[in-house]
Each structure stands twice: as structure tokens, then as C-alpha cells.
Amino acid sequence: MSRKSTKFIFITGGVVSSIGKGLSSACLGALLKARGLSVTAIKLDPYINVDPGTMSPFQHGEVFVTDDGAETDLDLGHYERFLEVPLSKKNNFTAGQVYETVISNERQGKYLGHTVQVIPHITDEIKKRIFEAAKGFDICLVEIGGTVGDIESLPFIEAIRQMRSELGWENVTNIHVTLVPYIKAAQEFKTKPTQHSVKELTGFGIQPDFVLCRSEQKLDPAIKAKISLFCNVKADHVITAHDVNNIYELPLVFHEQEFDQRILERLNIWTGEPNLSHWKNILKTYTNPKNGRVRIAMIGKYVELVESYKSLSESLTHAAIANNCKIEITYVDSVEIENLGAENTITKNVDAILIPGGFGNRGTEGKIATVQYARENKIPFFGICLGLQMAVIEYARNILKMPEATSREFDETTKFPVIDWMNDQKNVANKGATMRLGSYPCKLLPDSLAAQIYKQASIDERHRHRFEVNNSYREALSNADLIFSGLSPDEQLVEIVEIKDHPWFIGVQFHPEFKSSPNNPHPLFKSFVGAAIKYRDLHTETRKPIGKKTTASTEQIQIN
């Protein structure tokens, strides 16, 4: 497929960051895919970091990992969940990667002594990467991170301006996502931020074809007409992206405004009507679940920033839809558990407990106490990555009677490292992109709970970690009835653990949340939520919460 046979949709943002460009791009892509087109998506991040792998979750949110081991922006999670296509390192690149490549080329003499400049060398590298990722697809959505006017974004804006000129008007369209705030005191929407944002974009040589308006409520036709007039955009090209109760409702919201049809007309593409039955079924199940509500406690140290666990919360929503129920997630700070105890901190009415991945020593004792609480009280428990390691440490301490058992990550001089460095990680100095990353195979123990859930003998899952279960302790742990139900093909790496005499207790070293979607919920999450329903039904007496909680329900999810 030639460059010109792929149509490009560029998505920029203005006014504020975190406005919902990634989710909006994913939903538009889902609509185009539902019409029979092959669709991919790319995220361009203007920051100078080479990748988000070393960035704090407080600043950047979740790091999403692809099959080929790329640490990427969390928007790739939206793309994969809505498009249901595996993406790769080609689908997310940063200014840091671009500059690193250009400087390396210059050092190798590849520019033949020419002066290396932003134009054309940086912009050419950006365009080259976009074309490589788009190859073979009918449609390529390209999202530029940040907001128009950011200094670091300028090379990306210039690159997409050049592409529009090079590829022709009929092969490129631009969508600008802006905020239309509602001022309660004045009881009206304000369009000035959108007008100024579009003016800023046109100042860089790009006239948007569509304006996607983020707002708390639907915009009435008069407001859209005003934006159309001042921004030089057709009235039916002004689209409202208002807050919704469930993000999987958004494709239907866009389709109702004929967003996908207008895009196809603009790009001169003909297709049949989209098949949206699965999105309608998801919305119907979410709105009126037959099996009521289940409450899941998520134990972590980033509880004040829900974006840190984005794929996890979405995977639980997918599993809830599959189980015809609604999920309420209670985010509990593991440091608070350390101070007050699990029995005084975790609500008495939770139906399951989940410990997600993470790094560092802070809050780990609270997580270990949580594992013990879940194990002894027979509460369904799911440990992911660090969560598996916490489960193994708890088991060693309280079942094997090794009170000093811990991880080498938390105590480099420990005499009882039941969790230790992976062999290929012991001499690694650099922090970025050096963990065990990407998809690896795992074979399952026959007749184990994991094998029953997956319904197959071997699986492939995505990893992001440096530490593993220490094989020196495996025999003792196994003799104490800790089940190693998933191992690497050479049986040197523990991938899944279970315990006997518990309704549902599983720890996994990988990240199953990266391979879940609303139409194909991950089997582990689906089974976990099913176990939570059973636990809830066995404990129907009134239970009141204890202690202070940070709660968030999937009912309250907004576009951003």
C-alpha cells in the first residue's frame, strides 16, 4: 500500500491538557472500524523523555506495555481496547526518541555534513515514523499530545502541516479538540477558549476541518452555530463530546451526531452503515445489570490518581459487563493499612480485593497485611505483578514461619529474599526500558484454577518487572501448599500462584489488564468478578464500612 492510499486523521488539542483526545480518537476509530475499514492509531508525545517508563504515575498516569515490549502512553490502552488490534512501539513515539535518532544520525555522518535543523531533519523523522506505523491501513489516526502552542509540540504540528500539503486535501483531515466551559454563575457556555485555540492552530498553518467540543453537557445548536461561524468550520462539523456515565457510550454519542459519516465524506470514502450492535449491548448491560453491584477494593499507593490504574479499572468494567453486574471500586491507600491495620481500613462490605503492580518500598507492608486479611477471611484475591510478590512474601512469613522474608527490592541485604532480582536484571544500570518487557509464553498446570479459567494449556501475557520468585524457596513453598500453576516454558520463572482451600486466590507476575477489551474481557478478570458475585451472595448481611476511604465508581467515569 502506497503512502497516498492511507487516509490520515490528525487530532490536536487546545485550552487544557488531558481533555480526552486519546479516548475521542479511539471512539472515532471504533466507528470507522465498524464500517469495515482497517484502522490504526498513533500517539505523538512532545516531551523529551525517551519513553514514559521512568516517569512518575503522578505526572503521567499508567504506563501501557505492548506485545513487543514498548513502554507507552496510556492512550494506547484506549486504542487497543476500542480498536481491538495489538499495537507496537511504532504506535507511540516521543520527541526524545526523535531527537535521539536525529542526533545519532548526525554523529554517524548520515546528513553528509549538512547543518542539522528542526526543519527538515526533525520533521522528516517524525513523518517517517508516522508513515511506517500507518503502512497497510485504510485509516491512521494521529494524536498529538499536549496543547497547541506548547513549545515542545511545534515540530509535530509543523510535520502534520507538511503532510497535509504533501498528501493532498482529500487524504488528510484535522480534528481540533477544545474545552467549552460552562460558567455556573453566568449560566452559560463560553466559546472564547475554543475560538482562541483554533486561532492559535491556524497561526501554525492548520485550519481544522472539525472542532470536537469537550463539555459537561450537550451543546445546543446555537452554541455550535456560533463556534462554526467564528472558527470557520461547517456547522455539522462541530461535534459535542459531553460527559457520559460510561466511556463505552461515547461511540454511540459520536454516531448520533454523524461524526463518522462526516469524516468519511471529508476523506471521500464510501462504506456501508456501521454495525454497532455490540456497543449497544454493552451500554444496555451496563445501564441495567441483572446481577446488581459488586464492590472491589484496589490496594495501592497512588489512590489519589485513578489514571495510574486505568487499564485495571477498565478491565474490571469489561468483566462486570460480561457478568451482567456493575463494579464499584474502592481505592485504599496501603500506607493507611500499615497505620491502622487491614481489618480497620478495608471496608467490611467489599466482595473482592485486588493488589496491582507497582515499585518501591512505600506501602508494601500494608499490602502484605491485605494479602493475609484476604487469605484468612476467604475473600476473593487477585494480585498482579507486585501483587503476586506480596502474596508470596505473606505466605512465606505466615505459613512457612519466616517473619523476615521479603523482596530484594525492599532490602538489598536481606537473608530471606523470597523475591529476588531476575538473572538478566542483576547488572542492569539504566532504568529506562530495561525491565522484562512485552509478551512472554507461560504453560499452565493441568487442573489448576488458572487452567480452568483460561481453558488452554499455554498462554502469552505482557510483563513489566525486574524481580521474580526466588527458585531457592519454591520447594518449601510448594510443600506448604502454595501452587505454582503457571511457569515459563523452561520452568525457571514463576508466572502464576494459587493457594488451596480458598474460593479464589490468584497472583500473576504479568499484567493481564493490558489484553482486555469491552468485547473480549480478559478471562482472569471475568472469573475474578464472578467470584466476587458469589462471595457477595454468601454474605448478604448488612456490613458497614470502617475507617476513611477513597472511593471511585465506574459510574462516575468521564471522558477525560
Side-chain angles (χ1 to χ4, degrees):
M1 181 176 285
S2 67
R3 288 182 175 185
K4 284 199 173 183
S5 62
T6 300
K7 307 277 189 175
F8 291 90
I9 302 173
F10 294 114
I11 301 96
T12 55
V15 186
V16 295
S17 59
S18 299
I19 201 170
K21 299 189 301 295
L23 181 57
S24 298
S25 301
C27 291
L28 175 59
L31 288 174
L32 297 174
K33 183 179 179 182
R35 288 176 174 269
L37 298 170
S38 60
V39 183
T40 191
I42 309 172
K43 174 68 182 289
L44 312 185
D45 279 307
Y47 51 74
I48 308 301
N49 303 66
V50 172
D51 59 47
T54 59
M55 296 172 68
S56 169
F58 287 101
Q59 290 190 14
H60 194 266
E62 169 188 82
V63 174
F64 188 83
V65 178
T66 59
D67 278 339
D68 62 352
E71 293 176 290
T72 71
D73 184 86
L74 62 81
D75 279 329
L76 263 71
H78 288 313
Y79 302 160
E80 284 206 0
R81 286 188 285 271
F82 279 86
L83 299 179
E84 294 192 273
V85 293
L87 302 179
S88 72
K89 59 185 179 182
K90 292 182 179 181
N91 296 89
N92 181 211
F93 60 89
T94 70
Q97 292 173 1
V98 171
Y99 282 105
E100 185 179 54
T101 298
V102 171
I103 291 171
S104 176
N105 289 343
E106 186 273 333
R107 293 289 82 189
Q108 297 174 44
K110 292 185 178 181
Y111 299 124
L112 304 176
H114 291 174
T115 301
V116 178
Q117 298 177 294
V118 172
I119 302 172
H121 301 96
I122 296 296
T123 53
D124 281 354
E125 179 64 24
I126 292 169
K127 291 187 291 183
K128 173 187 173 184
R129 288 170 178 258
I130 292 174
F131 284 125
E132 287 177 351
K135 187 177 181 180
F137 290 91
D138 298 323
I139 299 286
C140 179
L141 295 125
V142 184
E143 175 195 350
I144 291 85
T147 58
V148 169
D150 294 343
I151 292 175
E152 60 267 29
S153 297
L154 297 183
F156 292 93
I157 298 296
E158 171 60 19
I160 67 173
R161 186 201 65 78
Q162 292 176 16
M163 286 183 64
R164 182 161 179 161
S165 175
E166 294 168 1
L167 297 177
W169 185 85
E170 71 281 3
N171 291 310
V172 174
T173 190
N174 292 88
I175 300 171
H176 192 55
V177 186
T178 76
L179 178 67
V180 181
Y182 180 77
I183 307 301
K184 291 184 179 180
Q187 295 187 340
E188 63 179 347
F189 289 98
K190 294 296 183 180
T191 64
K192 276 294 188 291
T194 293
Q195 294 176 41
H196 285 292
S197 182
V198 171
K199 181 181 179 181
E200 184 83 5
L201 183 62
T202 57
F204 295 120
I206 298 175
Q207 167 64 47
D209 302 299
F210 297 84
V211 175
L212 188 61
C213 302
R214 282 288 289 112
S215 62
E216 295 180 5
Q217 308 167 32
K218 291 182 179 180
L219 300 180
D220 62 44
I223 295 294
K224 296 173 77 170
K226 183 177 181 181
I227 292 172
S228 168
L229 180 65
F230 279 94
C231 296
N232 196 28
V233 174
K234 292 181 179 179
D236 60 355
H237 285 199
V238 179
I239 309 297
T240 301
H242 58 271
D243 291 350
V244 293
N245 291 327
N246 172 13
I247 62 173
Y248 301 109
E249 180 184 352
L250 194 55
L252 300 177
V253 170
F254 283 169
H255 182 65
E256 183 181 352
Q257 299 175 74
E258 299 185 335
F259 191 17
D260 48 327
Q261 181 62 36
R262 301 286 86 81
I263 288 287
L264 294 176
E265 291 172 358
R266 169 62 183 76
L267 292 174
N268 195 26
I269 299 174
W270 182 91
T271 70
E273 286 296 310
N275 180 1
L276 301 178
S277 58
H278 53 294
W279 295 110
K280 293 177 182 178
N281 289 335
I282 287 171
L283 183 60
K284 180 180 178 181
T285 302
Y286 181 89
T287 305
N288 298 295
K290 295 179 180 179
N291 292 322
R293 178 177 60 178
V294 293
R295 299 176 175 90
I296 294 177
M298 189 181 297
I299 317 299
K301 60 182 181 179
Y302 305 120
V303 297
E304 62 271 50
L305 192 62
V306 179
E307 293 292 286
S308 301
Y309 305 117
K310 191 64 177 177
S311 290
L312 277 172
S313 59
E314 292 307 312
S315 296
L316 289 169
T317 299
H318 307 158
I321 293 169
N323 282 279
N324 217 312
C325 68
K326 185 164 287 189
I327 291 287
E328 181 180 291
I329 304 173
T330 299
Y331 296 91
V332 185
D333 192 330
S334 54
V335 175
E336 187 176 353
I337 297 174
E338 289 181 349
N339 296 332
L340 301 176
E343 68 281 358
N344 297 318
T345 311
I346 300 173
T347 60
K348 293 293 183 181
N349 60 350
V350 299
D351 305 308
I353 294 173
L354 188 151
I355 296 181
F359 300 91
N361 189 39
R362 186 170 68 87
T364 53
E365 291 300 322
K367 295 178 183 179
I368 293 169
T370 298
V371 176
Q372 182 178 5
Y373 181 78
R375 179 177 59 80
E376 294 178 346
N377 289 281
K378 307 294 184 182
I379 303 172
F381 171 82
F382 195 3
I384 296 176
C385 196
L386 182 66
L388 171 142
Q389 297 170 12
M390 298 296 94
V392 172
I393 292 172
E394 189 278 329
Y395 207 84
R397 288 183 182 182
N398 297 308
I399 303 300
L400 290 184
K401 306 302 179 184
M402 297 168 53
E404 296 181 21
T406 188
S407 168
R408 188 83 70 181
E409 180 181 8
F410 314 142
D411 183 358
E412 293 185 1
T413 63
T414 178
K415 296 179 181 179
F416 302 95
V418 293
I419 304 297
D420 206 348
W421 289 99
M422 301 184 69
N423 284 333
D424 60 358
Q425 293 289 315
K426 291 180 178 179
N427 297 315
V428 171
N430 291 338
K431 296 296 183 183
T434 56
M435 289 181 281
R436 188 187 195 213
L437 295 166
S439 184
Y440 288 87
C442 167
K443 65 178 184 179
L444 304 179
L445 182 69
D447 299 323
S448 64
L449 177 58
Q452 294 172 30
I453 292 170
Y454 276 101
K455 295 182 174 60
Q456 56 193 70
S458 61
I459 58 174
D460 289 273
E461 295 283 4
R462 298 179 189 178
H463 294 68
R464 185 176 185 254
H465 63 103
R466 283 193 171 88
F467 297 85
E468 63 169 331
V469 175
N470 189 335
N471 288 333
S472 300
Y473 295 91
R474 272 172 56 179
E475 183 177 357
L477 289 165
S478 181
N479 290 339
D481 291 335
L482 184 66
I483 303 169
F484 299 105
S485 56
L487 299 172
S488 59
D490 62 4
E491 300 188 355
Q492 293 303 301
L493 302 175
V494 172
E495 301 281 21
I496 307 175
V497 299
E498 305 172 12
I499 62 173
K500 293 182 179 180
D501 303 321
H502 194 285
W504 207 99
F505 189 106
I506 287 182
V508 299
Q509 187 58 72
F510 45 82
H511 289 269
E513 68 270 24
F514 294 149
K515 296 183 71 172
S516 184
S517 71
N519 292 307
N520 290 291
H522 194 283
L524 284 174
F525 284 97
K526 183 178 178 180
S527 178
F528 176 56
V529 171
I533 293 174
K534 291 180 180 178
Y535 181 88
R536 179 202 64 190
D537 293 344
L538 289 172
H539 300 79
T540 55
E541 70 273 14
T542 302
R543 296 166 293 179
K544 295 182 179 180
I546 296 177
K548 181 182 178 181
K549 308 296 181 303
T550 301
T551 60
S553 168
T554 51
E555 298 176 59
Q556 301 168 332
I557 290 177
Q558 297 181 345
I559 290 177
N560 61 337

